[in-house]
Amino acid sequence: MAALLSSGFDDVNIKGIVVDIGSSEEKQAATLERISLDRIDVGRGENVEIQAYIRTDSGKQFVERIPVQIPADVAPGQLMIMVGDGATLQESSAARLFVPRDLGQLVSAINKIKKNDRLYVRLLRPAPGVVIGTSELPNLPPSVVATLNNDRTSGGYSPLMLSPIHERELPPADFVITGQQVIAVNVK
């Protein structure tokens, strides 16, 4: 609501708000402490299993097994696997630098905000890419990056150091999860 009302766009018209609130005396929060892989060398199209170690504020530990398929069309080399909560991944996304030009773009960006009651898995590769608006354009050809970086233009995009290849949202948990971990695999 704050983003919409403070956006400065004239055509903001809120007709109603529906809120579903529940309460509990239990603290329902957990932290992603660490992740591990069943193996670090993997072929294209193969699956690896991530074990995500999550500890609640009461001290109880859960291990969530997350199967991840390496895309069949990914180039050989190092691939980073990031597991994290929605807010942390949202903050680390280059799209957070986006400034909307109209109300439609703002609403679209709000609808893409990640949730805090689940983990996300993101596959990344060190490769040149950019963010234009809310769109991440990974693995751009060197000629496109050179065109964007030439001496006659400035702005309009944000560079990416790690280009996203794939992202998956996991099912909701019974608690709010915080934390982020990154691990590397070698794609053969």
Side-chain angles (χ1 to χ4, degrees), residues 43-90:
R44 293 181 283 182
E46 292 182 358
N47 287 318
V48 294
E49 183 180 86
I50 299 171
Q51 294 86 35
Y53 296 86
I54 302 163
R55 186 172 305 276
T56 65
D57 284 351
S58 65
K60 188 174 182 181
Q61 187 177 51
F62 295 93
V63 178
E64 182 162 353
R65 292 177 176 3
I66 306 166
V68 175
Q69 182 174 18
I70 304 301
D73 60 349
V74 72
Q78 188 178 57
L79 191 65
M80 309 302 287
I81 301 175
M82 178 185 294
V83 178
D85 68 272
T88 304
L89 263 69
Q90 192 77 33

Side-chain angles (χ1 to χ4, degrees), residues 64 117-118 171-177:
E64 182 162 353
D117 67 342
R118 63 200 68 195
D174 294 331
F175 32 75
V176 173
I177 303 173

